[in-house]
Amino acid sequence: MAEQGVASVWRRIKAIYTIQGNMCKTCGSYYFPPRPVCPECRRKGKLELYTFKGLGTIYSYTVVRQAPEDFKRQMPYVIAQVELDEGTRLTAQIVNVDIENVEIGMRVRACFRKIKEFGQGGIIAYGYKFEPTMKVTGHKEKSSPKQKEP
Amino acid sequence: MVGIVGFGVYVPRYRIKTSDIAELWGEDGEKIGPGLGVFEKSVPGPDEDVATISVEAARNAIKMAKIDPLDIGAVYVGSESHPYAVKPTGTIVAEAVGCSYNMTCADFEFACKAGTAAMQAAMGLVASKMIKIGLAIGSDTAQGRPGDALEYSAAAGGAAYLIGQKNPLATIEETVSFTTDTPDFWRREGEDFPSHGARFTGEPAYFRHVGEGAKLLFAKTKTTVDDYDYFVFHMPNGKFPVAVGKQIGVPKEKLEDSLVVRQIGNTYSGSAMIGLARILDIAKPGSKIFMVAYGSGAGSDAFSITVEDAILESRGMVPTVDDYIQRKTYVNYATYAKYRRKIKALG
Ligand SMILES: [Zn+2]
């Protein structure tokens, strides 16, 4: 079953690599995953592809301590509802964080990770996860080190 | 002139102390760090590999360069730990950073100098105007056989360089290579861990190739050690670059800033390229950098680089090498083994 997952992963590559959804030009709503029609405007809606900036806030989260076989090496881990700055929410794993430091309202940014391996010989699915925004110090020669979100 | 229009690095968050590895194998933990010149090494998370590390580094580079990823005409990823034996890493990177489909892409392999070989290829395409910008990445999640000497240094990390001609942060004046067939280190298809020629890895391999590469570059550029402010050598451990520096006559203070190996270990294809990034993070415009990357098998790629004024504008945009070095969480050997799949039953 080495071909397992190929079609479903390939179809979603653009969306899950770059968090590409869509935005309705009529009402200004953002959607992820992308919708075929805007549920607000129906036929009046004008949907355009939109790549999310990948910055957001933890809206709610849970710690996973019992995981399926594929995720055992990562246990325990955090799954959160992330509210993107554009206003839509998505579910994602939070990485690069100690579980005790996760909190609602925490600023996070999208990162690129391995999502699933379809067995030893199968394909590897990649996509977004989120991590706490990182400190960017810039350069020591500058008088005031900048604190920006990458 | 062809140069670096943006660069970015990525180092995973986890670290293991080399003293912890030593103690597990009944060695003297106190002695190992100073002896090897490696005190801790980076460990990738269970969901990180060369593709994810390359994407993170490339995204940093693109953000710093403020370029449109659609202007990238070539994506080359150099590594000895590509996630697939057959299927390029580069396509994953290109898609994830938003490149055009109208570009060329390939994976490079040459042990620890695959990334600098990718830089040279990108330089050629840019100089000949076949492409506008090339993305060259060196990235690895190196593995050492448990208990092998390599286990103390084999680490994970990567660096991405955008090579172009418009407004470079640093120009690359010259590059030369020295290449022979020398079997100092290898991994056969299907093997989990590499093998090496033990003592053979030093004199006829690393020292000869780095030394000859440096000599060729000095000759070609008609320069001497005095003409350069910073030196970067491939860092299989903390001792080799210092020793080769001594042979070439490099004052210690010109080498010191590039020695990232002490805190993150040997990131293989990322090693010299992360060392160079650390210099680019701090060097003043006008500084001259001399870099020699080394890859087993064996060869060296040497570069003469001058930092330009544009570098000042690029700073503060993305995390520096030190930002990544300081962002760390220690893991013990058990967690390290779990993350690195040294426990086979867990898959
Ligand atoms: Zn709408």
Side-chain angles (χ1 to χ4, degrees):
Chain A
M1 286 299 282
E3 72 279 19
Q4 205 196 348
V6 174
S8 72
V9 168
W10 178 74
R11 262 200 310 276
R12 295 186 300 142
I13 272 181
K14 196 85 221 176
I16 63 174
Y17 278 18
T18 61
I19 318 188
Q20 193 184 70
N22 45 23
M23 185 243 183
C24 176
K25 292 287 262 186
T26 310
C27 68
S29 303
Y30 292 87
Y31 299 104
F32 186 84
R35 302 273 181 104
V37 280
C38 176
E40 301 293 322
C41 313
R42 302 282 169 185
R43 245 189 283 161
K44 283 183 186 159
K46 263 194 214 148
L47 287 174
E48 277 189 357
L49 282 179
Y50 176 79
T51 302
F52 286 87
K53 292 195 173 18
L55 288 168
T57 313
I58 293 184
Y59 178 81
S60 70
Y61 70 94
T62 179
V63 178
V64 179
R65 293 177 194 280
Q66 286 295 326
E69 205 61 36
D70 289 352
F71 296 89
K72 282 230 160 84
R73 284 194 307 140
Q74 302 185 41
M75 275 188 325
Y77 59 90
V78 179
I79 294 287
Q81 279 269 304
V82 174
E83 182 155 300
L84 297 172
D85 288 356
E86 289 88 345
T88 188
R89 276 178 218 156
L90 52 76
T91 303
Q93 188 179 336
I94 310 296
V95 295
N96 278 344
V97 71
D98 294 326
I99 284 169
E100 57 274 21
N101 295 334
V102 180
E103 53 186 26
I104 288 167
M106 185 181 220
R107 288 293 285 162
V108 288
R109 66 161 206 163
C111 57
F112 192 76
R113 295 289 177 125
K114 204 154 61 173
I115 306 293
K116 182 180 164 72
E117 287 177 48
F118 290 83
Q120 276 270 311
I123 60 161
I124 306 166
Y126 295 94
Y128 61 83
K129 292 188 181 181
F130 280 75
E131 65 178 354
T133 51
M134 211 178 133
K135 190 183 74 169
V136 177
T137 54
H139 183 230
K140 50 186 164 188
E141 264 180 16
K142 284 196 175 169
S143 49
S144 60
K146 286 184 184 172
Q147 295 272 337
K148 267 197 215 160
E149 278 168 357
Chain B
M1 195 186 273
V2 175
I4 296 159
V5 297
F7 64 95
V9 302
Y10 182 81
V11 180
R13 172 175 178 248
Y14 303 105
R15 301 284 183 281
I16 185 164
K17 290 182 174 153
T18 48
S19 56
D20 287 350
I21 300 173
E23 272 153 30
L24 186 100
W25 298 110
E27 306 278 339
D28 188 339
E30 296 280 296
K31 278 195 187 142
I32 198 79
L36 205 59
V38 183
F39 296 88
E40 39 196 78
K41 68 165 192 170
S42 62
V43 177
D47 57 353
E48 293 186 289
D49 64 14
V50 164
T52 68
I53 290 170
S54 299
V55 168
E56 294 290 341
R59 282 178 175 169
N60 282 337
I62 289 166
K63 191 167 183 204
M64 177 193 276
K66 297 190 210 86
I67 56 143
D68 185 342
L70 296 176
D71 285 337
I72 296 171
V75 174
Y76 295 138
V77 183
S79 180
E80 61 115 86
S81 41
H82 289 290
Y84 291 94
V86 178
K87 199 222 157 290
T89 306
T91 53
I92 301 167
V93 176
E95 190 88 55
V97 302
C99 287
S100 157
Y101 296 143
N102 179 13
M103 56 100 202
T104 181
C105 174
D107 285 0
F108 279 46
E109 273 185 38
F110 197 141
C112 301
K113 77 160 195 78
T116 50
M119 281 174 75
Q120 291 176 326
M123 285 174 67
L125 294 180
V126 168
S128 65
K129 304 210 186 311
M130 278 177 70
I131 62 166
K132 210 158 147 186
I133 297 169
L135 172 60
I137 299 170
S139 164
D140 259 304
T141 54
Q143 286 262 43
R145 195 183 299 279
D148 187 281
L150 281 181
E151 203 190 7
Y152 295 110
S153 55
Y161 284 81
L162 286 160
I163 307 295
Q165 268 180 320
K166 206 179 143 196
N167 204 20
L169 319 173
T171 45
I172 306 174
E173 280 101 32
E174 198 57 78
T175 177
V176 294
S177 297
F178 180 80
T179 313
T180 74
D181 189 26
T182 305
D184 57 325
F185 172 94
W186 62 91
R187 181 168 63 82
R188 295 279 301 274
E189 188 77 52
E191 289 289 306
D192 287 335
F193 302 108
S195 306
H196 55 85
R199 294 193 172 279
F200 191 64
T201 55
E203 224 33 73
Y206 180 87
F207 291 101
R208 177 178 177 220
H209 291 79
V210 173
E212 291 295 327
K215 228 186 274 173
L216 286 175
L217 186 62
F218 282 130
K220 201 169 176 187
T221 53
K222 299 189 176 66
T223 54
T224 66
V225 169
D226 297 338
D227 293 309
Y228 297 90
D229 304 287
Y230 297 99
F231 285 78
V232 184
F233 299 116
H234 171 55
M235 295 163 261
N237 51 54
K239 288 174 85 174
F240 279 25
V242 171
V244 86
K246 210 176 268 173
Q247 284 178 11
I248 296 168
V250 177
K252 240 172 88 184
E253 62 275 13
K254 289 189 179 183
L255 183 62
E256 197 68 18
D257 288 321
S258 71
L259 297 174
V260 293
V261 64
R262 291 173 179 163
Q263 286 95 37
I264 59 171
N266 176 11
T267 53
Y268 285 52
S269 301
S271 175
M273 291 170 78
I274 295 176
L276 172 63
R278 187 158 192 276
I279 302 302
L280 292 173
D281 281 341
I282 58 167
K284 290 194 176 86
S287 304
K288 284 190 68 107
I289 307 167
F290 189 97
M291 168 168 83
V292 189
Y294 170 73
S296 291
S300 61
D301 298 329
F303 296 80
S304 167
I305 297 163
T306 301
V307 180
E308 301 295 337
D309 292 339
I311 198 125
L312 297 175
E313 294 311 305
S314 74
R315 287 178 177 154
M317 308 283 300
V318 297
T320 60
V321 174
D322 280 356
D323 288 339
Y324 278 111
I325 287 176
Q326 281 153 24
R327 180 192 71 159
K328 63 179 174 185
T329 303
Y330 291 107
V331 294
N332 57 24
Y333 195 90
T335 304
Y336 161 69
K338 182 174 78 170
Y339 283 0
R340 295 307 279 132
R341 291 205 165 143
K342 288 173 197 274
I343 306 172
K344 280 283 173 191
L346 269 179

XYZ file of all heavy atoms in Angstrom, chain B residues 128-164:
251
model
N 25.494 33.914 -15.884
C 25.236 33.747 -17.323
C 23.866 34.290 -17.710
O 23.435 34.141 -18.841
C 25.335 32.270 -17.694
O 24.295 31.556 -17.044
N 23.182 34.865 -16.741
C 21.862 35.467 -16.933
C 20.790 34.459 -17.360
O 19.774 34.818 -17.948
C 21.933 36.631 -17.924
C 22.937 37.710 -17.522
C 22.513 39.068 -18.022
C 23.553 40.148 -17.772
N 24.092 40.198 -16.414
N 21.014 33.199 -17.089
C 19.974 32.207 -17.372
C 18.828 32.349 -16.380
O 17.683 32.041 -16.682
C 20.545 30.787 -17.284
C 21.256 30.344 -18.540
S 21.976 28.703 -18.341
C 20.515 27.665 -18.291
N 19.157 32.769 -15.164
C 18.130 33.001 -14.146
C 18.423 34.326 -13.437
O 19.537 34.840 -13.499
C 18.074 31.861 -13.096
C 19.410 31.750 -12.317
C 17.707 30.529 -13.726
C 19.335 30.896 -11.076
N 17.397 34.834 -12.762
C 17.545 36.084 -12.027
C 18.106 35.799 -10.628
O 19.086 36.385 -10.197
C 16.163 36.725 -11.903
C 16.153 38.217 -11.842
C 14.746 38.699 -12.270
C 14.345 39.959 -11.547
N 12.956 40.344 -11.833
N 17.453 34.865 -9.945
C 17.855 34.529 -8.575
C 17.864 33.012 -8.410
O 16.965 32.316 -8.890
C 16.882 35.157 -7.544
C 16.928 36.692 -7.622
C 17.206 34.699 -6.125
C 15.821 37.376 -6.848
N 18.886 32.518 -7.726
C 18.962 31.091 -7.424
C 18.902 30.879 -5.917
O 19.461 31.661 -5.154
N 18.198 29.821 -5.515
C 18.112 29.478 -4.086
C 18.962 28.242 -3.849
O 18.693 27.179 -4.413
C 16.649 29.216 -3.698
C 16.367 28.662 -2.300
C 16.873 29.605 -1.207
C 14.867 28.414 -2.115
N 20.022 28.403 -3.047
C 20.925 27.286 -2.753
C 20.871 26.991 -1.260
O 21.067 27.887 -0.439
C 22.351 27.630 -3.167
N 20.593 25.737 -0.938
C 20.401 25.363 0.460
C 21.359 24.236 0.837
O 21.589 23.320 0.057
C 18.941 24.898 0.688
C 17.963 26.035 0.366
C 18.732 24.399 2.117
C 16.507 25.619 0.337
N 21.910 24.318 2.043
C 22.664 23.208 2.618
C 21.977 22.844 3.916
O 21.798 23.700 4.784
N 21.541 21.604 4.043
C 20.712 21.238 5.188
C 20.897 19.758 5.496
O 21.000 18.947 4.580
C 19.259 21.551 4.809
O 18.348 20.928 5.661
N 20.945 19.409 6.758
C 21.115 18.001 7.115
C 20.518 17.673 8.475
O 20.406 18.530 9.349
C 22.609 17.618 7.125
C 23.017 16.887 5.857
O 22.383 15.850 5.562
O 23.927 17.354 5.160
N 20.133 16.415 8.614
C 19.793 15.873 9.933
C 20.703 14.665 10.099
O 20.302 13.525 9.911
C 18.314 15.417 10.012
O 18.067 14.511 8.933
C 17.360 16.585 9.905
N 21.959 14.948 10.382
C 22.982 13.909 10.353
C 22.814 12.913 11.495
O 22.408 13.270 12.598
C 24.364 14.551 10.437
N 23.120 11.678 11.198
C 23.013 10.605 12.177
C 24.371 9.950 12.397
O 25.119 9.753 11.430
C 22.086 9.516 11.637
C 20.621 9.885 11.652
C 19.908 9.320 12.855
O 20.433 9.367 13.967
N 18.727 8.808 12.669
N 24.657 9.631 13.633
C 25.836 8.830 13.919
C 25.356 7.507 14.502
O 24.355 7.462 15.206
N 26.042 6.449 14.182
C 25.695 5.148 14.764
C 25.834 5.255 16.279
O 26.811 5.822 16.775
C 26.668 4.090 14.232
C 26.248 2.657 14.435
C 27.325 1.706 13.920
N 27.568 1.869 12.474
C 26.802 1.323 11.526
N 25.763 0.587 11.858
N 27.079 1.521 10.263
N 24.822 4.747 17.034
C 24.935 4.856 18.496
C 26.271 4.291 18.987
O 26.659 3.182 18.606
C 23.759 4.016 18.998
C 22.754 4.077 17.891
C 23.559 4.120 16.620
N 26.985 5.086 19.773
C 28.263 4.647 20.313
C 29.450 4.998 19.439
O 30.591 4.950 19.882
N 29.191 5.394 18.185
C 30.270 5.777 17.289
C 30.731 7.200 17.631
O 29.962 7.999 18.159
C 29.751 5.743 15.845
C 30.845 5.957 14.799
O 31.254 7.116 14.578
O 31.283 4.949 14.217
N 31.989 7.493 17.306
C 32.526 8.832 17.586
C 31.684 9.931 16.949
O 31.545 11.034 17.481
C 33.964 8.924 17.078
N 31.094 9.625 15.795
C 30.283 10.620 15.084
C 29.050 11.040 15.866
O 28.487 12.102 15.642
C 29.800 10.053 13.740
C 30.768 10.035 12.569
C 30.064 9.453 11.356
C 31.265 11.435 12.259
N 28.611 10.179 16.778
C 27.389 10.476 17.514
C 27.533 11.747 18.357
O 26.537 12.410 18.635
C 27.000 9.282 18.395
C 25.527 9.312 18.726
C 25.108 8.304 19.770
O 25.977 7.638 20.370
O 23.900 8.200 19.990
N 28.739 12.093 18.730
C 28.951 13.300 19.538
C 28.761 14.588 18.747
O 28.535 15.643 19.319
C 30.366 13.297 20.139
C 30.589 12.191 21.121
C 31.427 11.129 20.832
C 29.926 12.211 22.352
C 31.618 10.107 21.740
C 30.102 11.189 23.261
C 30.956 10.135 22.949
O 31.131 9.136 23.844
N 28.896 14.494 17.438
C 28.866 15.732 16.654
C 27.740 15.811 15.627
O 27.313 16.903 15.268
C 30.216 15.913 15.946
O 30.516 14.778 15.165
N 27.239 14.674 15.164
C 26.246 14.675 14.076
C 24.981 15.406 14.506
O 24.277 14.964 15.408
C 25.925 13.245 13.659
N 24.708 16.530 13.845
C 23.625 17.404 14.291
C 22.710 17.791 13.136
O 22.863 17.297 12.017
C 24.236 18.650 14.932
N 21.772 18.665 13.429
C 20.786 19.061 12.417
C 20.696 20.572 12.304
O 20.725 21.285 13.303
C 19.417 18.492 12.777
N 20.577 21.037 11.063
C 20.432 22.466 10.816
C 20.615 22.742 9.341
O 20.998 21.848 8.579
N 20.341 23.970 8.961
C 20.500 24.294 7.550
C 20.593 25.780 7.319
O 20.286 26.589 8.197
N 21.070 26.117 6.117
C 21.177 27.513 5.730
C 20.767 27.642 4.270
O 21.019 26.741 3.471
C 22.607 28.011 5.914
N 20.100 28.749 3.962
C 19.650 29.001 2.593
C 20.247 30.314 2.118
O 20.246 31.304 2.862
C 18.133 29.071 2.549
N 20.767 30.302 0.901
C 21.343 31.520 0.321
C 20.654 31.828 -0.995
O 20.513 30.947 -1.839
C 22.854 31.349 0.102
C 23.630 31.451 1.395
C 23.727 30.351 2.249
C 24.210 32.649 1.795
C 24.395 30.461 3.465
C 24.875 32.756 3.003
C 24.966 31.663 3.834
O 25.622 31.772 5.040
N 20.246 33.075 -1.145
C 19.677 33.536 -2.401
C 20.799 34.221 -3.165
O 21.404 35.180 -2.678
C 18.527 34.505 -2.141
C 17.250 33.822 -1.647
C 16.336 34.814 -0.962
C 16.525 33.121 -2.796
N 21.100 33.675 -4.335
C 22.195 34.190 -5.142
C 21.605 35.031 -6.271
O 20.715 34.566 -6.992
C 23.019 33.013 -5.740
C 23.478 32.035 -4.639
C 24.210 33.541 -6.555
C 24.443 32.590 -3.626
N 22.062 36.257 -6.373
C 21.549 37.141 -7.418
C 22.541 38.245 -7.712
O 23.658 38.256 -7.185
